Amino acid sequence: MPEVPNLVHSAEALATAMRFDRSSIPEVGRLLAMLTAARPRGRVAEIGTGCGVGSAWIASALGPEAVLVTVEADGERAGAAGRLFAEQPNVQVLHGDWHVLLPPEAPFDLLFFDGGHWKRGDVSAESEAALGLVARGGIVVIDDLIPEALRPEEQRGRPDTVREFWIEDPRLRGVEIMTTPRTVAILATKTAD
């Protein structure tokens, strides 16, 4: 298995120090790094920096002409992540609401739609806003999902608005992949506006 980049170790240490336990898992980090490396001049965005673990995986794979813009709503975490990436000229950490901060930077070739509680809110509206940030041919990654077979009994067979939007929307080609035996991620390519 490939070595974990030093920047990822630094971000993981920061997350531990800040008692932040919702960082990207290594399996998702490697996926993000692979997708980033495939776009050496790409524009990459992340919604939900946290303490920068996912960002570190992305930053470690950025080509010299690629950029990463990551947004964190929590001021303390955004400041800490900003310091973590201070030596990375092609990484920009923004503090605030992604709905306001990311549209002027768009379109993006890769969007890691990670943070916030959007999966429990108005999924359709949040998904539409995120999809609007992505260039045609761009990829969206959504992690921290539970496989259908492991969903609570009362939820099985019920509509799942996250999956319905990102896998069934005709503007997208989406797929769900196992990241661990208990978690899945969705990858969706924007094929139409």
Side-chain angles (χ1 to χ4, degrees), residues 70-148:
T70 181
V71 179
E72 174 56 45
D74 179 85
E76 186 179 1
R77 287 192 299 266
R83 290 185 293 278
L84 177 71
F85 295 107
E87 301 296 316
Q88 307 293 319
N90 50 353
V91 176
Q92 183 180 12
V93 179
L94 303 176
H95 167 239
D97 181 353
W98 68 268
H99 300 88
V100 175
L101 297 172
L102 285 181
E105 305 287 334
F108 295 101
D109 303 303
L110 175 61
L111 173 64
F112 183 27
F113 193 15
D114 188 31
H117 302 288
W118 70 272
K119 294 174 197 157
R120 293 184 294 252
D122 187 345
V123 171
S124 294
E126 293 293 283
S127 295
E128 283 292 346
L131 184 58
L133 300 172
V134 180
R136 187 178 288 198
I139 297 174
V140 178
V141 178
I142 301 165
D143 70 343
D144 299 328
L145 298 169
I146 299 169
E148 177 70 25

Side-chain angles (χ1 to χ4, degrees), residues 8-85:
V8 173
H9 287 301
S10 296
E12 290 172 336
L14 176 62
T16 299
M18 294 186 78
R19 296 190 171 136
F20 182 77
D21 63 357
R22 296 182 311 274
S23 295
S24 296
I25 60 175
E27 295 84 353
V28 171
R30 286 185 174 86
L31 175 64
L32 292 169
M34 183 274 302
L35 292 169
T36 300
R39 298 182 182 264
R41 292 183 187 90
R43 294 187 49 74
V44 182
E46 176 187 36
I47 296 171
T49 313
C51 290
V53 174
S55 305
W57 281 102
I58 293 167
S60 297
L62 286 173
E65 297 176 44
V67 296
L68 166 62
V69 181
T70 181
V71 179
E72 174 56 45
D74 179 85
E76 186 179 1
R77 287 192 299 266
R83 290 185 293 278
L84 177 71
F85 295 107

